[in-house]
Amino acid sequence: MTDTNNSPLEGAVLFYSNPEPLDPALHGALGVNPTDKPYAFVAQTNIVPLTVTEFAAAALSYPIIFTGENRQPVVVMGLRQGENLYVSDAGDFRADAYIPAYVRRYPFVFADDKQNQRLILCIDRGAEIVAEGGQNPLFVDGQPSDYTNMAMDFCNNFEQERLRTESFVQLLKDLDLLDIREAAFTPRNPDGTPGEPQKLAEYYAVSEDRLKALPAEKLAELRDNGALGQIYAHLVSLLGWDRLIALAFQRQAEAPASVN
């Protein structure tokens, strides 16, 4: 996480080092350059926030878990902090993996201007793709360009999905469905016998037992409002821990041998 004490953003925001509110006077000559590796920056983290409407798509690629006091849903992309098994050393994102909207909106983000009760579109001046005379200008004749307006629309949609996600998580809390769970891995000894289990992570997940114990009318309500489908997408995604372990072994096998 980054230090944003001098930023208009409330709190630290993953990936953003220097977000500034867009201003034609300050950013009139700025643009965003296209790159063939636009998501290389994701290699620095093993978890990325997710909105609830992305659960089904993301479940095909990653475990979806809930973390922290706010029970923020995130996808797990690596087994260790600072490691991402879906981004190569060259900065290539796995072609078959879902890319969360949180990542796709970069280098744009909304700041919460609580004093004026509004959201302000910001851009990360620390992003390498943001430069003077960039190929996609932020402003044309002092007005937001089509590129900037598209970014605004995307961030608006993301904000709506973020609020929807907060409501979904609150519903899980109200029904007391979240429980602490562990991800573990049991290695094999050289003789083929199981080794000592190794704890990979501790996180919050929906308890299937608590879900089944809900009254029939509450289950029907969850089905009708779409929450039940998202819950099952989350539960199915937890099978993805095995995929992460396999990817970790694959990366280890592909790593060059260390030189003594």
Side-chain angles (χ1 to χ4, degrees):
M1 303 290 278
T2 56
D3 182 4
T4 56
N5 289 335
N6 298 318
S7 160
L9 293 172
E10 297 247 337
V13 184
L14 181 65
F15 302 136
Y16 297 80
S17 62
N18 187 23
E20 296 179 355
L22 276 183
D23 182 343
L26 295 175
H27 308 131
L30 283 184
V32 178
N33 288 316
T35 173
D36 59 348
K37 302 182 193 304
Y39 308 121
F41 63 89
V42 187
Q44 66 189 263
T45 184
N46 66 326
I47 60 171
V48 172
L50 193 73
T51 64
V52 66
T53 49
E54 299 178 276
F55 277 24
L60 299 174
S61 301
Y62 323 99
I64 301 168
I65 65 173
F66 298 85
T67 65
E69 184 178 346
N70 293 329
R71 308 298 188 261
Q72 166 72 51
V74 299
V75 290
V76 184
M77 297 184 175
L79 300 178
R80 291 193 296 266
Q81 199 168 12
E83 170 195 71
N84 194 309
L85 297 169
Y86 288 82
V87 182
S88 71
D89 291 339
D92 294 304
F93 208 105
R94 285 181 66 100
D96 60 346
Y98 176 77
I99 300 175
Y102 188 100
V103 170
R104 287 182 276 123
R105 69 176 178 168
Y106 188 82
F108 296 93
V109 66
F110 270 145
D112 189 0
D113 181 1
K114 290 187 181 295
Q115 185 175 352
N116 296 304
Q117 295 185 329
R118 60 173 182 164
L119 295 170
I120 304 172
L121 186 65
C122 299
I123 192 164
D124 186 5
R125 288 291 278 113
E128 293 182 4
I129 57 176
V130 178
E132 296 282 338
Q135 188 169 327
N136 296 302
L138 299 180
F139 294 94
V140 175
D141 297 329
Q143 297 299 317
S145 65
D146 289 344
Y147 180 82
T148 298
N149 285 328
M150 286 175 58
M152 174 73 81
D153 289 342
F154 189 94
C155 288
N156 268 320
N157 290 333
F158 182 86
E159 178 64 14
Q160 292 172 19
E161 295 303 327
R162 187 188 67 79
L163 294 175
R164 188 172 286 117
T165 302
E166 286 186 356
S167 297
F168 173 76
V169 171
Q170 188 59 52
L171 177 61
L172 298 184
K173 289 180 180 179
D174 292 343
L175 295 175
D176 193 26
L177 291 179
L178 292 172
D179 202 3
I180 295 177
R181 194 178 297 193
E182 286 187 0
F185 166 62
T186 303
R188 287 199 172 276
N189 294 320
D191 61 2
T193 58
E196 286 292 322
Q198 299 177 9
K199 180 178 173 180
L200 298 175
E202 187 174 272
Y203 58 94
Y204 292 97
V206 170
S207 165
E208 292 183 75
D209 289 338
R210 294 183 190 179
L211 182 64
K212 292 175 184 176
L214 288 177
E217 61 271 17
K218 180 56 67 175
L219 282 170
E221 181 182 327
L222 293 177
R223 179 199 65 206
D224 293 344
N225 66 20
L228 192 59
Q230 309 294 8
I231 289 172
Y232 278 116
H234 150 66
L235 291 172
V236 169
S237 81
L238 298 179
L239 298 173
W241 285 109
D242 289 340
R243 184 187 304 112
L244 278 178
I245 293 168
L247 288 174
F249 275 116
Q250 179 182 344
R251 178 164 292 189
Q252 185 178 19
E254 294 172 349
S258 60
V259 179
N260 293 327

